[in-house]
């Protein structure tokens, strides 16, 4: 069985991946700060996390993915204050939008989405442990991590605090984000400030620093040692460096075996920013008429360790690419083909399987894997033109596309629609009666589900005063 090679930012090389226990991959992914809509850069990172988890399943592993929701930090507090609503009301709204966005992009949900505000006790326990272990100290109601106490500080990012100008030990950092040059003792617990949400603690009222949430919540759900930790490259320093110091300082065990970091997305060659007018959310693009599978495709056009230059032209290109896939999928079952199988199709599909897996095994080379799918389509089209494709060949082609899509997730709906068995008139009538009964009982959700199920099979309903009419679309 060929193995997945993953680039590990900790060792700076590709390594064969296996979960520590041989079957369940424990994956922790830094999630969104729920203070605004996710932008397409954030979403690139979440789509890449999704590809990783989907491919781990493809390789036969169970996946336990945990993604945190940062619902208390400087940005969420400022946002709630600006709108004059409570922090939870404010973050609830953006959490909901986040879930809608990942659903739109066909991102498979993580196993757990723990919220920082619901894990304050676990964070406090870890902070206490760090104090007990001599890695943290209290100053003015706040608790700081003493980076000089952790000999491995810098092992991920390559930072050497002792070589920094000035004395790193004496700088105490309050903010969640800071630059490499500023490395110093970072805050684990922040003493309460007026008008900010605060929780009681052994060190006085306050709130957690940002870094501690990921250490505490990953340990709570996945244990002391993760198989894989993901995030975008901007998190390597300070966030992930600090997570290692916290977790290893508290547990004395290795925190994470594989660190996997995705590069950033830029727009038309520039860093995305609101002031440059090149800042997009998923909703902006959908409103402009772009389809979610095309957006997902566009976010997958560069290898995850390369910057992705997002352009409108590229997105239009993705729209055409997805359209080409859809046309192929819709056309294949409708072709008048001779009965039976052909040896050539079997060979083409077997090679596609092999090449797809080889590309993905090579540090998740999605552009390469996508190329394999298009090469297969090209070859099948040539067979169709030459009158060589047979009915049963279509089955193995569909099987391959379905397997490839279990990873890529860009043709899921089309494949489902193409594979639905034609529905019989009696079944339609029975479902319409069931929907009518559900509506009479006020069970509108179930009634809508039935309608959606029929729509997915090409049946169009029309409710009239005398009953529901239907036709095949
Ligand atoms: P945030 O909601 O700001 O905490 O970010 C959520 C995730 O998106 C984090 O993993 C960030 O590292 C990542 N991220 C932020 N900006 C970009 C970008 N331009 N491209 C890709 N990922 C990004
Ligand atoms: Zn994190």
């Amino acid at each position: 069985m060929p193995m997945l090679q993953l680039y590990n930012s900790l060792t700076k090389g590709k390594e064969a991946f296996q979960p520590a226990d041989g079957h369940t991959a424990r994956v922790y992914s830094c999630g969104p700060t729920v203070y605004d809509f996710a932008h397409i850069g954030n979403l690139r990172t979440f789509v890449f996390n999704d590809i990783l988890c989907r491919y781990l399943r493809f390789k036969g592993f169970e996946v336990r993915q945990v993604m945190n929701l940062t619902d208390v930090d400087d940005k969420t507090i400022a946002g709630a204050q600006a709108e004059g609503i409570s922090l939870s009301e404010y973050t609830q709204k953006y959490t909901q939008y986040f879930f809608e966005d990942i659903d739109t992009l066909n991102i498979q949900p993580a196993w757990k989405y723990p919220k920082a505000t619901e894990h304050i006790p676990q964070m406090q326990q870890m902070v206490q442990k760090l104090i007990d272990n001599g890695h943290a100290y209290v100053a003015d109601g706040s608790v700081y991590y003493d980076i000089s106490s952790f000999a491995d500080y810098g092992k991920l990012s390559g930072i050497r605090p002792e070589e920094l100008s000035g004395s790193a030990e004496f700088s105490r950092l309050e903010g969640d984000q800071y630059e490499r040059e500023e490395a110093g003792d970072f805050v684990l617990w922040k003493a309460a400030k007026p008008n900010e949400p605060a929780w009681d603690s052994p060190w006085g009222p306050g709130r957690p620093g940002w870094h501690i949430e990921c250490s505490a919540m990953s340990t709570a759900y996945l244990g002391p040692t993760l198989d894989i930790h993901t995030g975008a490259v901007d998190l390597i320093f300070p966030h992930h460096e600090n997570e290692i110091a916290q977790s290893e300082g508290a547990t004395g065990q290795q925190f994470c075996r594989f660190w996997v970091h995705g590069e950033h997305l830029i727009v038309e060659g520039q860093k995305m920013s609101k002031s440059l007018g090149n800042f997009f959310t998923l909703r902006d693009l959908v409103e402009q008429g772009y389809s979610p599978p095309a957006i997902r495709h566009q976010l997958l056009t560069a290898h995850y360790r390369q910057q992705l230059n997002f352009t409108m032209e590229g997105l239009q290109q993705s729209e055409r690419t997805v359209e080409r896939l859809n046309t192929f999928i819709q056309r294949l079952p409708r072709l008048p083909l001779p009965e039976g199988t052909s040896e050539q199709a079997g060979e083409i599909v077997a090679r596609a399987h092999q090449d797809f897996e080889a590309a993905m095994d090579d540090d998740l080379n999605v552009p390469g894997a996508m190329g394999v799918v298009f090469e297969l389509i090209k070859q099948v089209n040539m067979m169709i033109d030459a009158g060589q494709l047979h009915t049963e060949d279509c089955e193995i082609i569909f099987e391959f596309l379905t397997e490839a899509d279990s990873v890529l997730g860009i043709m899921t709906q089309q494949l489902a629609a193409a594979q639905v068995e034609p529905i019989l008139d009696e079944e339609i009538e029975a479902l319409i009666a069931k929907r009518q009964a559900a509506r009479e009982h006020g069970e509108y959700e179930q009634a809508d589900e039935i309608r959606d199920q029929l729509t997915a099979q090409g049946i169009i309903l029309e409710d009239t005063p005398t009953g529901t009419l239907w036709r095949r679309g």
Side-chain angles (χ1 to χ4, degrees):
M1 175 83 170
M3 283 178 79
L4 165 61
Q5 302 283 324
L6 272 183
Y7 182 86
N8 186 348
S9 318
L10 186 64
T11 57
K12 320 260 176 311
K14 286 186 199 172
E15 292 173 44
F17 175 78
Q18 273 267 56
D21 72 3
H23 53 87
T24 303
R26 285 154 214 278
V27 181
Y28 185 87
S29 304
C30 288
T33 307
V34 281
Y35 75 107
D36 199 347
F37 290 99
H39 58 62
I40 52 170
N42 303 137
L43 292 168
R44 178 194 187 194
T45 295
F46 299 134
V47 167
F48 136 69
N49 288 336
D50 180 48
I51 290 280
L52 167 67
C53 292
R54 283 168 174 260
Y55 193 61
L56 291 169
R57 293 193 183 98
F58 180 101
K59 296 297 277 184
F61 303 127
E62 293 258 335
V63 177
R64 235 178 240 180
Q65 186 197 14
V66 173
M67 180 180 278
N68 65 306
L69 301 172
T70 300
D71 62 349
V72 53
D73 79 326
D74 299 342
K75 288 185 276 196
T76 44
I77 292 172
Q81 280 173 352
E83 285 192 19
I85 54 177
S86 72
L87 181 65
S88 68
E89 207 180 328
Y90 181 79
T91 56
Q92 198 63 45
K93 192 169 62 170
Y94 289 105
T95 301
Q96 187 56 35
Y97 293 143
F98 167 70
F99 285 132
E100 285 169 15
D101 284 353
I102 61 170
D103 185 51
T104 303
L105 280 179
N106 199 15
I107 291 174
Q108 292 179 342
W111 175 55
K112 301 260 185 223
Y113 290 98
K115 295 179 178 174
T117 54
E118 291 174 1
H119 296 78
I120 304 288
Q122 290 88 337
M123 295 187 222
Q124 292 186 350
Q125 274 161 27
M126 193 172 260
V127 173
Q128 188 59 53
K129 193 92 211 260
L130 288 168
I131 296 173
D132 296 345
N133 290 356
H135 289 297
Y137 59 92
V138 183
D140 302 326
S142 291
V143 185
Y144 296 89
Y145 194 102
D146 169 10
I147 61 170
S148 70
S149 73
F150 186 67
D152 278 347
Y153 195 83
K155 71 175 169 184
L156 177 68
S157 61
I159 206 155
R160 312 279 296 261
E162 67 280 7
E163 286 176 11
L164 294 172
S165 55
S167 178
E169 288 99 302
F170 295 110
S171 66
R172 281 191 197 138
L173 303 162
E174 280 290 329
D176 292 326
Q177 298 279 12
Y178 48 89
E179 300 299 319
R180 296 169 70 92
E181 304 73 47
E182 302 170 82
D185 290 356
F186 60 92
V187 70
L188 297 168
W189 183 262
K190 297 189 193 195
K193 289 201 188 115
N195 303 321
E196 283 198 354
W199 287 263
D200 283 336
S201 86
W203 321 287
R207 64 173 168 102
W210 171 43
H211 313 295
I212 195 71
E213 80 179 65
C214 290
S215 284
M217 298 199 291
S218 63
T219 308
Y221 292 99
L222 298 170
T225 304
L226 307 171
D227 286 307
I228 302 178
H229 194 313
T230 70
V233 284
D234 59 307
L235 299 186
I236 294 175
F237 186 84
H239 187 51
H240 291 164
E241 195 66 66
N242 290 353
E243 282 187 35
I244 295 176
Q246 294 166 155
S247 293
E248 300 192 353
T251 69
Q253 297 179 53
Q254 182 180 20
F255 174 45
C256 176
R257 301 172 55 233
F258 283 74
W259 285 91
V260 179
H261 289 104
E263 251 300 342
H264 269 196
L265 170 149
I266 54 172
V267 175
E268 311 276 355
Q270 286 182 302
K271 192 175 167 182
M272 191 166 33
S273 85
K274 284 188 177 157
S275 58
L276 285 175
N278 65 357
F279 183 97
F280 296 106
T281 66
L282 180 59
R283 283 145 214 260
D284 295 335
L285 300 175
V286 171
E287 259 167 38
Q288 288 179 32
Y290 293 105
S291 72
I295 300 167
R296 182 174 165 105
H297 176 269
Q298 182 55 209
L299 297 179
L300 290 172
T301 47
H303 184 267
Y304 78 90
R305 284 200 291 124
Q306 312 238 294
Q307 264 195 357
L308 187 147
N309 186 21
F310 185 94
T311 64
M312 284 304 161
E313 207 187 316
L315 186 53
Q316 283 149 18
Q317 179 69 42
S318 286
E319 204 67 70
R320 289 192 290 273
T321 303
V322 166
E323 195 52 48
R324 201 141 46 94
L325 281 173
N326 293 347
T327 308
F328 180 78
I329 293 166
Q330 283 161 6
R331 177 172 169 236
L332 203 58
R334 299 206 171 102
L335 290 169
L337 300 175
E339 294 281 327
T341 56
S342 67
E343 204 172 305
Q344 198 192 349
E347 283 166 14
I348 291 173
V349 172
R351 190 162 349 111
H353 267 288
Q354 226 175 40
D355 293 351
F356 182 87
E357 190 163 352
M360 290 302 296
D361 275 347
D362 183 12
D363 195 25
L364 308 172
N365 179 1
V366 173
M370 208 101 80
V372 174
V373 172
F374 281 100
E375 180 59 28
L376 171 103
I377 290 177
K378 191 173 115 194
Q379 304 233 11
V380 171
N381 279 334
M382 275 160 53
M383 285 185 70
I384 295 170
D385 292 345
Q388 289 165 339
L389 196 75
H390 290 66
T391 47
E392 288 169 37
D393 298 336
C394 296
E395 282 172 33
I396 55 168
I397 293 164
F398 264 106
E399 249 168 52
F400 168 73
L401 291 178
T402 306
E403 224 175 274
D405 194 60
S406 73
V407 179
L408 301 174
I410 51 175
M411 37 189 165
T412 316
Q413 273 183 345
Q414 299 296 336
L415 284 167
Q419 283 169 347
V420 171
E421 295 281 322
I423 185 164
L424 303 172
D425 288 6
E426 309 78 277
E427 292 173 296
I428 299 171
E429 306 278 357
L431 281 169
I432 289 176
K434 201 166 152 198
R435 172 169 172 265
Q436 186 54 29
R439 294 207 309 175
E440 279 161 17
H441 290 99
E443 289 156 3
Y444 297 108
E445 210 168 296
Q446 196 200 353
D448 286 348
E449 263 170 32
I450 297 173
R451 174 191 277 270
D452 292 347
Q453 185 188 339
L454 285 164
T455 309
Q457 302 200 50
I459 309 302
I460 296 157
L461 303 188
E462 191 191 336
D463 292 317
T464 73
T466 50
T468 303
L469 304 177
W470 66 268
R471 64 192 158 83
R472 292 178 195 274

